[in-house]
Amino acid sequence: MRTRRTSAHDAHGRGRLLTHGAFWRILRPIMSKKLDMEILASLCKRRGFIFQSSELYGGINGFWDYGPLGCELKRNIKNAWWKHIVRTREDVVGLDATIIMHPAIWKASGHADGFADPMVDCKDCRKRFRADQLCEEQGLELIKDGKTVALPDGAKCPACGSRNLTAPRSFNLMFKTFVGPIEDDSNAAWLRPETAQAIFAQFSNIIATARQKVPFGVAQMGKSFRNEINPRNYTFRSREFEQMELEFFIRPDEAVELICGRVTTLADKPDLTGEPQESWGWEVWLHYWIEQRLAWYRSIGLPAEHLELYWQTGDELAHYARACVDIEYAFPFGVQELEGIAARGDFDLTQHQRHSGKQMDVFDEALKQAADKLDAAAKEAFTEKVVAEWTARNQSPEAARAFVAKLFEGKYVPHVVEPSAGTDRLALALLSNAYDEETLTDDKGKTDQRTVMRFHPSIAPIKLGVFPLVKNKPELYAKAREIFAQLQRRWNCFWDESGAIGRRYRRMDEAGTPWCATVDFQTLEDGTVTLRDRDSMQQVRLSVPELIQKLDTEIG
Ligand code: ATP
């Protein structure tokens, strides 16, 4: 919530101050407490950001539709992500794979057997909950013993308070379907619960065609489905949602060591904001991607102070993962995960190699050349060093020897760092962050209230409102239509000719439109329009080329 005092006379920049609508001063913010999600949900429905799916028939729990403004917002998020991850880099390529894939993929990835949450039912009120979430909310520890879990003493139903709960049962979150007309298990398939697996399954095709060498990444975004036991917090935990995932393939540290003579670690204090270096080990790559992702979140308007890192520890960490960090956002209902970034080693590609029987290793010319320079004694010393390191990590010496032997041939299965973000969670974070209410007072002391969505221009659904000052002057109207048509070709603009200018501004404020351009009589004389800024409410006159330049710079 912002507290500001301003007046139209503070305006700076080119042009003189303006003409249309009252000069409002912002006296005080109305919202002094945390944003209530009900208020946000009501604005989202009223303005066409988010609707309940199938509302006409009473809705369906865990599914949401994005209306005219919401789908523009989501499209902008995805475009910004694609630009940041793929378009502006030379070392990342894209993939667009199917939602239903061969069921063997989910066997290899571990999802068929292990992608499950523990579920409990209240025997009194019949409501169903996730056992881990229920315990967390009640400050209790779920009892874990290998694969089985149990509720601790004191756990009670969050809805009715009863302690009459079932024991936790494992529930696989994947949606099952059947391919073809016969509904038997031989035709069973699953809707993907993440987009990432397709990248691993297509790895060989991509490396054969993309003219990329490790280190490089493959990005994919699209729908994922999880039959969440308890969808909640508005769109935060949905059953159908979109993900934006990157698998960034890197050399194993041992290969880096052979090529570069050493491995750069965090202790070397590498510059994580500069160009990636050949000597970087996995840990540096992980931190590099954390920096990249945090910088991107800030660039689309999420304040740094609302972003937190949570490092997974102990049993939270998957057995194959070397490290995993969650980028969390301070949502109105609590600090929660926006994105997970994991160093997954070579687990995924190795699993697919094992299950498909097809080789997933790459040939690395630089590695072969480095290995060829070593004499037998140096090779032996290197092998023994790696064996000692692997054994210290409880990996078998035989596996270490086989791995090193492949390295000497210039071959390895790449390791991976995976930044995995949710589009819908990010849309919700941006909506919560943008929401603001202000009380304004004009020069005569009249007060008014405005709701304003302070989106960053790059993700705002509408970039510019274009208004003719009046509708009954054909020449002025035609000029306004001409300017609108010109600008609409570049950005999503909104034409509004009804009501007083002040009311048109308010409607655009609620939609989060950063600027409004009014075409008036002066436009007919000198070609300038009045540009009103959503946040400062200041108005300046600009020519259309100047306006285009300003928007180009600020939208990015
Ligand atoms: P959570 O612990 O919240 O269930 P997760 O750790 O299982 O999430 P990942 O498997 O790491 O999530 O998925 C990557 C990203 O996908 C998450 O950071 C989140 O943004 C998004 N995501 C995952 N599940 C959902 C969901 N049910 N609804 C909306 N977004 C989701």
Side-chain angles (χ1 to χ4, degrees):
M1 191 73 223
R2 296 146 186 90
T3 314
R4 290 182 290 119
R5 202 165 238 282
T6 183
S7 95
H9 303 285
D10 299 78
H12 48 77
R14 185 204 174 277
R16 67 181 174 75
L17 293 182
L18 269 230
T19 56
H20 317 301
F23 288 155
W24 294 101
R25 278 181 303 131
I26 299 159
L27 267 196
R28 66 180 170 81
I30 304 170
M31 289 173 50
S32 51
K33 55 182 180 12
K34 242 192 205 166
L35 170 62
D36 180 342
M37 289 309 282
E38 300 274 317
I39 293 177
L40 182 66
S42 133
L43 174 119
C44 284
K45 175 160 188 214
R46 183 159 43 82
R47 290 312 314 253
F49 282 99
I50 299 175
F51 306 129
Q52 198 181 11
S53 165
S54 323
E55 192 192 280
L56 189 61
Y57 293 95
I60 170 166
N61 195 8
F63 296 87
W64 299 94
D65 292 342
Y66 288 80
L69 288 184
C71 70
E72 289 290 339
L73 174 69
K74 253 179 104 171
R75 189 170 294 270
N76 292 341
I77 292 172
K78 290 190 281 185
N79 287 346
W81 183 84
W82 197 256
K83 188 170 162 196
H84 155 71
I85 294 285
V86 184
R87 286 279 160 74
T88 53
R89 303 185 63 101
E90 287 178 70
D91 56 358
V92 179
V93 293
L95 177 71
D96 188 352
T98 58
I99 285 168
I100 294 177
M101 299 189 286
H102 196 294
I105 287 180
W106 306 115
K107 198 77 191 152
S109 69
H111 285 81
D113 298 322
F115 192 57
D117 279 338
M119 171 174 81
V120 291
D121 289 311
C122 172
K123 291 183 195 160
D124 289 334
C125 73
R126 312 226 155 262
K127 291 219 164 72
R128 181 162 286 172
F129 305 95
R130 247 173 78 175
D132 54 335
Q133 287 175 350
L134 180 149
C135 288
E136 194 182 313
E137 283 161 13
Q138 295 173 21
L140 301 168
E141 280 278 326
L142 192 66
I143 302 166
K144 292 185 186 163
D145 182 12
K147 278 195 166 176
T148 57
V149 293
L151 286 177
D153 282 346
K156 56 179 192 246
C157 170
C160 73
S162 160
R163 293 185 200 278
N164 200 5
L165 302 171
T166 63
R169 300 183 309 289
S170 182
F171 172 72
N172 193 304
L173 300 183
M174 288 201 293
F175 278 98
K176 193 175 188 179
T177 186
F178 298 93
V179 177
I182 300 167
E183 291 196 8
D184 66 16
D185 270 356
S186 63
N187 294 313
W190 285 274
L191 306 192
R192 67 181 178 202
E194 60 170 44
T195 61
Q197 283 309 316
I199 298 177
F200 300 120
Q202 289 290 8
F203 177 76
S204 305
N205 278 330
I206 295 168
I207 198 134
T209 53
R211 303 197 58 205
Q212 291 284 347
K213 288 193 192 115
V214 178
F216 80 104
V218 183
Q220 172 163 229
M221 54 192 182
K223 290 273 188 183
S224 290
F225 302 82
R226 295 183 188 179
N227 201 359
E228 298 280 358
I229 294 167
N230 204 359
R232 57 189 187 160
N233 286 332
Y234 198 21
T235 59
F236 179 83
R237 187 172 299 287
S238 307
R239 288 178 165 142
E240 174 175 341
F241 55 96
E242 283 189 82
Q243 289 183 309
M244 305 181 290
E245 298 194 288
L246 167 67
E247 300 303 328
F248 197 83
F249 298 100
I250 55 174
R251 289 171 169 141
D253 279 6
E254 293 84 349
V256 174
E257 190 177 339
L258 280 176
I259 295 166
C260 302
R262 65 183 301 272
V263 178
T264 301
T265 67
L266 284 181
D268 298 313
K269 300 201 183 343
D271 174 12
L272 297 171
T273 57
E275 282 291 304
Q277 301 298 313
E278 200 167 35
S279 63
W280 282 4
W282 70 268
E283 214 186 351
V284 179
W285 275 110
L286 175 68
H287 283 260
Y288 165 80
W289 278 110
I290 296 169
E291 284 301 317
Q292 287 283 315
R293 301 297 301 134
L294 286 172
W296 182 71
Y297 283 120
R298 292 193 297 267
S299 77
I300 57 166
L302 288 187
E305 65 273 20
H306 290 173
L307 293 167
E308 291 180 18
L309 292 183
Y310 175 78
W311 288 91
Q312 292 187 10
T313 54
D315 61 354
E316 292 171 322
L317 210 54
H319 65 93
Y320 49 81
R322 292 187 159 178
C324 182
V325 63
D326 293 341
I327 298 184
E328 299 187 324
Y329 175 74
F331 286 95
F333 45 82
V335 179
Q336 299 270 348
E337 175 179 336
L338 208 51
E339 166 163 352
I341 307 182
R344 298 174 63 89
D346 63 359
F347 175 78
D348 304 273
L349 287 179
T350 304
Q351 281 294 100
H352 287 296
Q353 179 167 282
R354 211 170 277 152
H355 283 253
S356 68
K358 312 241 168 67
Q359 286 302 312
M360 290 289 177
D361 48 26
V362 295
F363 176 71
D364 188 327
E365 185 62 47
L367 175 63
K368 178 77 170 74
Q369 282 177 13
D372 284 350
K373 285 193 195 130
L374 300 181
D375 60 19
K379 282 187 174 170
E380 184 54 32
F382 184 79
T383 308
E384 290 316 312
K385 180 170 162 283
V386 174
V387 168
E389 284 164 4
W390 279 43
T391 337
R393 294 201 303 256
N394 291 330
Q395 287 166 290
S396 83
E398 295 76 34
R401 284 180 203 287
F403 167 74
V404 178
K406 280 234 166 188
L407 285 186
F408 291 155
E409 291 170 30
K411 291 184 189 162
Y412 53 80
V413 174
H415 285 213
V416 76
V417 173
E418 176 192 79
S420 167
T423 317
D424 307 77
R425 284 198 188 166
L426 177 52
L428 186 59
L430 291 164
L431 283 161
S432 322
N433 182 63
Y435 191 94
D436 203 358
E437 290 174 4
E438 282 179 332
T439 299
L440 312 170
T441 302
D442 74 5
D443 290 350
K444 298 187 188 95
K446 188 175 149 234
T447 60
D448 189 18
Q449 292 180 351
R450 72 165 183 157
T451 301
V452 50
M453 297 297 285
R454 298 187 195 276
F455 293 121
H456 187 277
S458 64
I459 53 113
I462 303 168
K463 309 299 184 202
L464 181 74
V466 181
F467 312 154
L469 182 62
V470 291
K471 342 186 229 199
N472 56 1
K473 295 281 179 242
E475 206 190 335
L476 187 152
Y477 193 86
K479 182 74 190 162
R481 286 300 298 173
E482 179 196 315
I483 292 174
F484 173 69
Q486 184 186 354
L487 298 171
Q488 177 73 352
R489 279 200 293 276
R490 302 178 72 108
W491 300 288
N492 188 30
C493 300
F494 191 85
W495 173 261
D496 193 352
E497 59 181 44
S498 61
I501 290 286
R503 294 181 66 123
R504 293 185 232 173
Y505 285 155
R506 292 291 179 277
R507 292 195 288 258
M508 285 288 97
D509 288 345
E510 268 197 344
T513 307
W515 303 280
C516 296
T518 303
V519 175
D520 56 20
F521 294 100
Q522 199 180 324
T523 315
L524 299 177
E525 287 164 24
D526 63 9
T528 62
V529 297
T530 299
L531 190 73
R532 182 261 196 183
D533 182 277
R534 176 195 66 201
D535 296 336
S536 66
M537 299 194 299
Q538 290 168 1
Q539 304 172 9
V540 290
R541 289 208 79 93
L542 293 179
S543 69
V544 174
E546 285 169 330
L547 168 68
I548 290 175
Q549 200 182 16
K550 178 181 167 63
L551 266 61
D552 247 342
T553 314
E554 299 205 23
I555 293 168

